[in-house]
Amino acid sequence: MATFLYKLGRLSFRRRHFVALIWVALLTLAGVGAASAPAAGNSSFSIPGTEAQKAFDLLEQRFPGTSADGATARVVFKAPSGEKMTDPGNRATVQDTVKELSDGSEVVRVTDPYRAKAVSKDGTIAYAQVSYKVSGMELDDAAKDALKDSAQDARKAGLTVEIGGDALQAVPHTGSSEIIGIAVAAVVLVITFGSLVAAGLPLLTALIGVGIGVSAITGLASALDLGSTTSTLAMMIGLAVGIDYALFIVSRYRAELAEGREREEAAGRAAGTAGSAVVFAGLTVVIALVGLSVVNIPMLTKMGIAAAGTVAIAVLIALTMVPALLGYAGRKVKPMGEKGKLLGRAKKKDQPAKPNLGTRWASFVVRRPVAVLLLGVIGLGAAAVPATSLELGLPDDGSQPVSTTQRRAYDLLSEGFGPGFNGPLMVVVDAKNSDAPKAVFAETGDAIKGLKDVVTVTPAQPNKAGDTATITVIPGSKPSSVTTENLVHGIRDAGADIKADTDANVLVTGSTAMNIDVSEKLNDALVPYLVLVVGLAFLLLIVVFRSILVPLKAALGFLLSVMAALGAVVAVFQWGWLSGLMGVEQTGPVMSMMPIFMVGVVFGLAMDYEVFLVTRMREAYVHGEKPAQAVVTGFRHGARVVTAAAVIMMAVFAGFIGSSESMVKMIGFGLAIAVFFDAFVVRMAIVPAVLALLGRKAWWLPKWLDRALPNVDVEGEGLRTASGDDDRELARV
């Protein structure tokens, strides 16, 4: 592989005009496609195999035209102090609002609060429910404006009016903090390289790669049913790995220049050595992201594949466009050791080189491996403690900021009708195979009334055929509570008994039941996903490092960092620690998909640092250095660059904490803190400590396995042999 990438790097350097033209053409093509593609709506949220999804599908069949998965809005009215919603003036205002809302072309129906008995017992709060034909993200702006205008007209009449539900669902925005993250990355690159040109190369190539990836996703969003979060995630990961991969290529290029090589040769060797590490690091990220498809949640699968595609583009750009741009830069990119002029730290020619910080730190770890190992493990263990209190759920209006009308509507409904009113359960009774459907409907309603935490059970509403009915159940607890989850399971257990007696199916659905099913599906998929992703990456790392213990140590270190990161997420988003600093206005359960998503992404990124740092150590070891000295050598060449890469990745991820979308905010924080733990605690402390303790055993591989494995030559040994650079006898490993 190293030889092929070496040739590719030299070719890209020589044919830089052609290479640059290809990538600019791809960017232009993707941009035109994105601009001309039809606007994408909200990604359909289906969860195959869950009871809630089966019930939704059944409703579509048995209740045609009801738009069971369409957007809804609850327009909540509150009377002025000392008045009632039943007062004539307030009643007239509400009825005018209902009539106004009914005129919309996408409106299916609007309930009158007074006919539907949707007035609180004390008479101060009422609500009208609006059902639409399409989802919230597919609603026309005119329909949303009409909804807001109707509420505003009622406010002018003196009522407090708020709107809940998903009809006003907005496209999330990331805010200015994303730009700040990129700015921080630029500053780190300038400090690392001491040159604006060298620092600009990784940023430019990363932006081009992300531009191609996100434009392609935007262009295909309508055809492939991709949601807005998909492109945001691809941008987040694409920027981070794009900058890092280019950073490693440019750093190795400067190191090759410092050894006296010509620029074309240096570009080829940088692509052959650091480029090999980029390929395998990118493969681990792609495996982790594509592996999300095993969860069988279409939205998560699409997010993973789209982000994996952006990572693949970042790898290709690092291997081709970076060498091409190095050809354009010429002498403006200095050899390593000549980077200080911009920062006023130019090294004198006769000044002896001092050990850098990476060398000094590695030497310290090699001398004190047990102490460093224990301190790192105990520290990560302490950070992981909050993860033992992890509560999973999906966000509802109760998790919105208090400044939003959705949250205020949620609070008003809780005040007037109880917390469970915000998460009604819909029970679908399929009595098609029963001899007495009406009796089954009544029996089901009676069975539900006897369960704990049930406030209201509405009479069954059958379809025209009379073989299927819906029953609405109002819990006594809020939608995200454990009590409500227990009620859903209680209804399903009662339904199993009814099926045994009457052969009728009782299914529970609604947004609350769907959230519960999603959480359980994700929990069930976590272990198989870990086995698949970690297993594949473990095999890949055995090929890269030709060792058993090094990949095993890498996987165990990842588990430590991801558990510590989950603990930090729980502390901030569930317990509320530093929530004000992070812009978290409402604490609550951690998003259900957060653990499995963090496992996938963090594992891929963690292996990046493992590959980049440890390949340098192995390169030194196979060329004759003792194990402890190889660790120090690896840090001397790689610690500064890995540190810069980690800081850049943290800055990019942290930039998404400013997003208005709670899922993006949580992912941004979780990935940023996970990179910190993995790069600075696991890879910079625990890894060298373990390698120092293992010595030569770290690089042991059974002879039969050594013969069976393909030789991918990540260290670039083929390049050394071909050029005769190193005549030393290689260590036997």
Side-chain angles (χ1 to χ4, degrees), residues 357-440:
L357 181 60
T359 302
R360 296 196 299 272
W361 168 250
S363 299
F364 170 78
V365 174
V366 168
R367 291 195 305 269
R368 306 279 193 278
V370 176
V372 172
L373 178 61
L374 289 177
L375 186 61
V377 171
I378 293 172
L380 290 178
V385 169
T388 59
S389 302
L390 177 67
E391 295 178 9
L392 298 177
L394 288 177
D396 54 24
D397 284 349
S399 61
Q400 296 273 3
V402 293
S403 58
T404 62
T405 186
Q406 292 94 331
R407 172 58 188 278
R408 293 195 294 266
Y410 180 98
D411 293 339
L412 284 176
L413 287 172
S414 297
E415 177 187 341
F417 302 93
F421 203 80
N422 285 290
L425 306 175
M426 180 179 288
V427 179
V428 183
V429 185
D430 178 9
K432 190 172 184 178
N433 297 326
S434 176
D435 297 331
K438 290 185 179 179
V440 173

Side-chain angles (χ1 to χ4, degrees), residues 377-696:
V377 171
I378 293 172
L380 290 178
V385 169
T388 59
S389 302
L390 177 67
E391 295 178 9
L392 298 177
L394 288 177
D396 54 24
D397 284 349
S399 61
Q400 296 273 3
V402 293
S403 58
T404 62
T405 186
Q406 292 94 331
R407 172 58 188 278
R408 293 195 294 266
Y410 180 98
D411 293 339
L412 284 176
L413 287 172
S414 297
E415 177 187 341
F417 302 93
F421 203 80
N422 285 290
L425 306 175
M426 180 179 288
V427 179
V428 183
V429 185
D430 178 9
K432 190 172 184 178
N433 297 326
S434 176
D435 297 331
K438 290 185 179 179
V440 173
F441 301 155
E443 180 183 348
T444 303
D446 292 339
I448 295 173
K449 289 177 183 177
L451 299 176
K452 294 181 180 180
D453 200 48
V454 173
V455 175
T456 305
V457 178
T458 65
Q461 301 292 322
N463 62 351
K464 291 183 179 179
D467 59 5
T468 307
T470 60
I471 300 173
T472 301
V473 181
I474 306 298
S477 304
K478 63 181 182 179
S480 58
S481 68
V482 176
T483 307
T484 301
E485 182 178 348
N486 293 336
L487 174 60
V488 170
H489 291 302
I491 295 173
R492 288 172 174 169
D493 291 340
D497 295 336
I498 292 172
K499 180 176 176 59
D501 296 337
T502 65
D503 204 25
N505 288 320
V506 178
L507 307 173
V508 185
T509 189
S511 59
T512 302
M514 181 67 82
N515 290 351
I516 292 170
D517 286 351
V518 170
S519 298
E520 292 180 351
K521 191 177 183 71
L522 288 166
N523 288 339
D524 293 341
L526 183 57
V527 173
Y529 175 70
L530 267 175
V531 171
L532 173 68
V533 173
V534 176
L536 288 175
F538 181 78
L539 295 176
L540 186 65
L541 292 179
I542 289 178
V543 174
V544 173
F545 296 126
R546 309 194 76 79
S547 163
I548 298 293
L549 295 180
V550 171
L552 180 62
K553 172 264 307 170
L556 294 177
F558 150 74
L559 291 176
L560 278 173
S561 59
V562 79
M563 287 303 298
L566 276 176
V569 169
V570 170
V572 173
F573 290 88
Q574 187 175 310
W575 291 0
W577 293 5
L578 302 177
S579 57
L581 182 64
M582 299 296 166
V584 181
E585 296 188 31
Q586 180 64 34
T587 59
V590 173
M591 215 158 321
S592 299
M593 64 179 64
M594 187 66 190
I596 197 166
F597 189 80
M598 182 180 285
V599 164
V601 177
V602 173
F603 182 80
L605 300 180
M607 295 306 103
D608 276 6
Y609 301 119
E610 181 75 14
V611 170
F612 289 128
L613 194 59
V614 180
T615 49
R616 273 290 195 170
M617 298 179 189
R618 175 171 172 77
E619 186 176 347
Y621 176 69
V622 298
H623 286 90
E625 293 189 6
K626 294 182 179 179
Q629 182 57 40
V631 171
V632 176
T633 300
F635 267 75
R636 181 172 66 250
H637 292 295
R640 182 183 180 88
V641 179
V642 169
T643 299
V647 172
I648 289 170
M649 197 170 281
M650 288 167 56
V652 172
F653 287 148
F656 288 83
I657 296 175
S659 173
S660 62
E661 176 68 38
S662 58
M663 177 179 176
V664 175
K665 181 189 291 288
M666 191 177 293
I667 288 175
F669 171 79
L671 294 183
I673 198 69
V675 168
F676 172 77
F677 287 142
D678 195 86
F680 293 105
V681 181
V682 174
R683 309 303 154 190
M684 291 290 184
I686 294 178
V687 165
V690 171
L691 290 178
L693 289 172
L694 290 176
R696 294 184 181 275

